[in-house]
Amino acid sequence: STEMMGNSELSPEVDVNSLNALISQNVVDQLLSKYMSTLTSNIIGWLRKALETDKKDWIKETEPEADQDGYYQTTLPAIVFQMFEQNLQVAAQINEDLKTKVLLLCLQQMNSFLTRYKDEAQLYKEEHLKNRQYPQCYVQYMIAVINNCQTFKESIISLKRKYLKIEMEDTLSISHTSMDATLDTIAKEGCSSLLDEVFMDLEPHLNELMTKKWLMGSNAVGTICVTVEDYFNDFAKIKKPYKKTMTVEAHRRVVVEYIRAIMLKRISFKNAEERKEGAERMIKEAEQFRFLFKKLAAGSGEDTEGLCDIIEAIAEVIKLTDPSLLYLEVSTLVSKYPDIRDDHIAALLTVRGDASRDMKQTIIETLDQGPSQPNPNYVPIFKEITVPTLTVPKLLK
């Protein structure tokens, strides 16, 4: 009949349920144990090979591929998760218990793999610093490494959702947190090394700030803004959460470097006219930075206002024409930015050029006693800035 196998003449002549299993449980356990140990060494080998292949791409002279949204990436996350997926599908056909064991194994190996990935990204940066012309597409591949971190995060979540029972979630939460932390570290270090690239190129222009040349009208800040924007055209290919962090950090570093230039006391204004000119230039340049970072942070929700206000507040102290009001102006500055130290104030008064040693001393001593009411949103910036001191004892007397 059409249901041939169901034909009564073909029904078995024995009761199948009364038969013993073809393979004893002991042998089954041994086979599964052997399968797991073979799979473990295979996964370790595959992951190592995948990383080696990826590293070869990092030194190519052509840019990495971009995904459909234009973000740079390499094939590493896809290769790794395709491999996990294939092994999980096989395990799922055997039984639920084996599927869970294979998933735990994949995630455990992923954890170790990410530590190696982090070390390789660090070595990549160090090699590049020996010769910044090489590899040719360093910036683009570092961006791909950063983006891969986001892809890895998403893939781990999707793998767990697909193959893990809800009641098993808790057993994995610690390893998941650790993987997330490693991925965030890789991305953060990647972003930081890209910003190092930017600031190495900015160095000659930062060195020009607060010098005679700057006061005479050099275009250092214009060049700084153009360079940063140029780099950020590439950084547009970084995925959103990391791109926002990158913009915030770049903004902060530019302002820190600008304030550091003031604190280096490269210039001491000779008269009220020079002070006015210098202060107005500082206010104009703070506005240039504000405009630039507003543009770069468009749509990310970053508050771009506060940082440049610090430059303007310092400019107000320099601009002040009546020295008797200096204490008041400085105390306003300190109440807004309570991490300003005595040596910052002394440096600022040195740049003003008209405060006597006694006057500096009086202002600093009086300020030490005053209360401060910082803005709760203020992230300390002056603590990152050291003021150079003269080491010759006679000059300090």
Side-chain angles (χ1 to χ4, degrees), residues 281-298:
R281 175 166 273 274
M282 287 160 73
I283 291 166
K284 175 174 156 263
E285 290 175 343
E287 195 47 55
Q288 280 175 269
F289 290 142
R290 192 179 276 124
F291 177 78
L292 169 70
F293 285 101
K294 200 170 239 175
K295 188 173 167 186
L296 296 180

Side-chain angles (χ1 to χ4, degrees), residues 317 325-336 363 367 371:
V317 173
L325 296 175
L326 251 183
Y327 168 72
L328 207 61
E329 197 67 53
V330 172
S331 60
T332 306
L333 187 71
V334 175
S335 63
K336 276 190 192 166
I363 289 175
L367 280 171

Side-chain angles (χ1 to χ4, degrees), residues 13-41:
E13 291 166 17
V14 290
D15 178 5
V16 178
N17 296 326
S18 69
L19 298 174
N20 289 330
L22 272 173
I23 305 175
S24 72
Q25 190 56 44
N26 192 23
V27 176
V28 169
D29 290 345
Q30 281 178 356
L31 282 169
L32 288 175
S33 167
K34 189 172 181 188
Y35 174 77
M36 286 301 289
S37 65
T38 309
L39 184 60
T40 304
S41 63

Side-chain angles (χ1 to χ4, degrees), residues 47 80 172 218 292 319:
L47 286 171
V80 168
L172 278 183
S218 90
L292 169 70
K319 194 178 182 179

